[in-house]
Amino acid sequence: MPCEMSKVPLPKEHKAAVCIWDALDVTTTEAILGAAGDRDEIQRQLIEIFDLADNKQNKRSAILLDLYYFTIQFALERGFSKEQTSSFFSIVKKTHEVCIETPFGNLEQCFNYFKELVLCHAVKRPPWSISLFSPEEVKAVTEYVVNTYFRHFKLYKYAFTPVVRLDLAINYVGLPDTPEPEEAADVAGEGEPVTVPETETEGAVQEELGETEQGDFEVSS
C-alpha cells in the first residue's frame, strides 16, 4: 500500500545544541573507556545500552552497532577525554537520526546540522556552546565523519528509511475526467468481430469511387 504524503516526514532544519552526556552518561562513558582495546566488551556494552541484541538477525541493528563501535574506536585512537568521547558520540548519533528521519534527500540539512553540532563544542560561548574540541580536533572529527558517514549517506538512508512510491493523477480544470479505457472484447463480446459503423463521409467516398470505376473515360487525341 503506497504511503500517503501527509504521513511521510519532509526534510527540515534542526537547531543544534550542546549534547555532552546526552547519548552516553558519565558512568557509561567511563565504563566504555575502561574497556579500551577489548572490542567484544565495548560491543557488549553498546548492545546493552542501545538494545541491539538482535544484531545477528536484524541488519539495521548490525549497522548501528558498527557505527557506534567505530565512533568509540576513533575517540580512543585520538585520546579523547570522557567529555569529548560522550559529545562526539552524541554528535554522530544525532546526525544519523536526522539522516533517517525522512526518506527524502536531506543531505544539505543533515550536514549543516552536523557542522553546527561540532561548533557547539568548539567555541566558548556559554550557554550556547562550550570549548571542548581544539581546532585540530575539530578538523579531525569533521574529516572522520565526512569520510565514513557522509561518504555512505545514501546507503544509510536506504537501509533505515522506507521506499516511497508516487502515484500521480492529473485533473484539468473545466474538462471532464477521462473515462477508463474499455477492451474491444468487452464492447462487442468476447470472440465476436467488432463492427465499425460506416460514417456518411466514408459512404460518399465509396460511392464516388464506384462511379469512377464504372464510367467511361474519354481521351482526346
Side-chain angles (χ1 to χ4, degrees):
M1 182 178 179
C3 299
E4 297 180 11
M5 288 297 295
S6 59
K7 296 182 180 180
V8 179
L10 297 177
K12 60 182 179 181
E13 300 290 342
H14 290 266
K15 185 175 179 58
V18 175
C19 54
I20 186 173
W21 313 128
D22 184 63
L24 298 176
D25 59 27
V26 180
T27 304
T28 303
T29 305
E30 289 178 345
I32 290 176
L33 293 179
D38 189 344
R39 176 170 183 165
D40 291 338
E41 176 60 20
I42 293 176
Q43 287 186 332
R44 186 195 66 77
Q45 293 189 40
L46 292 173
I47 289 172
E48 182 178 347
I49 296 167
F50 298 104
D51 192 21
L52 303 174
D54 60 344
N55 65 88
K56 299 296 183 182
Q57 299 81 28
N58 189 328
K59 292 182 179 180
R60 291 183 178 179
S61 296
I63 294 171
L64 279 180
L65 181 58
D66 277 351
L67 175 65
Y68 294 163
Y69 169 75
F70 286 108
T71 299
I72 295 294
Q73 186 63 27
F74 175 80
L76 291 171
E77 291 174 356
R78 294 290 306 183
F80 284 173
S81 65
K82 58 185 178 182
E83 292 84 3
Q84 290 175 318
T85 300
S86 175
S87 299
F88 175 58
F89 188 92
S90 298
I91 289 172
V92 174
K93 186 173 183 292
K94 286 179 175 292
T95 299
H96 175 68
E97 290 171 350
V98 171
C99 167
I100 66 173
E101 71 179 3
T102 173
F104 298 108
N106 64 339
L107 175 60
E108 183 177 353
Q109 291 92 338
C110 194
F111 187 62
N112 289 338
Y113 181 59
F114 163 73
K115 290 190 297 182
E116 291 177 4
L117 281 173
V118 173
L119 288 176
C120 283
H121 302 81
V123 180
K124 187 175 182 180
R125 196 163 63 94
W128 298 280
S129 63
I130 58 177
S131 180
L132 195 60
F133 295 109
S134 66
E136 292 77 14
E137 289 169 336
V138 168
K139 181 181 179 182
V141 164
T142 303
E143 288 180 350
Y144 172 79
V145 176
V146 168
N147 291 329
T148 57
Y149 190 85
F150 285 103
R151 187 178 295 275
H152 305 98
F153 185 82
K154 290 185 178 180
L155 293 178
Y156 281 107
K157 186 171 287 292
Y158 176 80
F160 286 90
T161 60
V163 177
V164 178
R165 188 183 70 186
L166 176 63
D167 292 330
L168 182 63
I170 301 176
N171 292 324
Y172 295 95
V173 178
L175 295 178
D177 295 339
T178 304
E180 296 183 2
E182 296 181 356
E183 297 292 339
D186 296 336
V187 179
E190 272 190 40
E192 298 182 4
V194 180
T195 304
V196 180
E198 186 180 54
T199 62
E200 296 181 1
T201 304
E202 291 174 343
V205 172
Q206 292 295 335
E207 290 181 4
E208 185 174 348
L209 290 174
E211 292 176 359
T212 303
E213 291 176 356
Q214 296 176 1
D216 296 328
F217 290 90
E218 295 182 359
V219 180
S220 59
S221 56

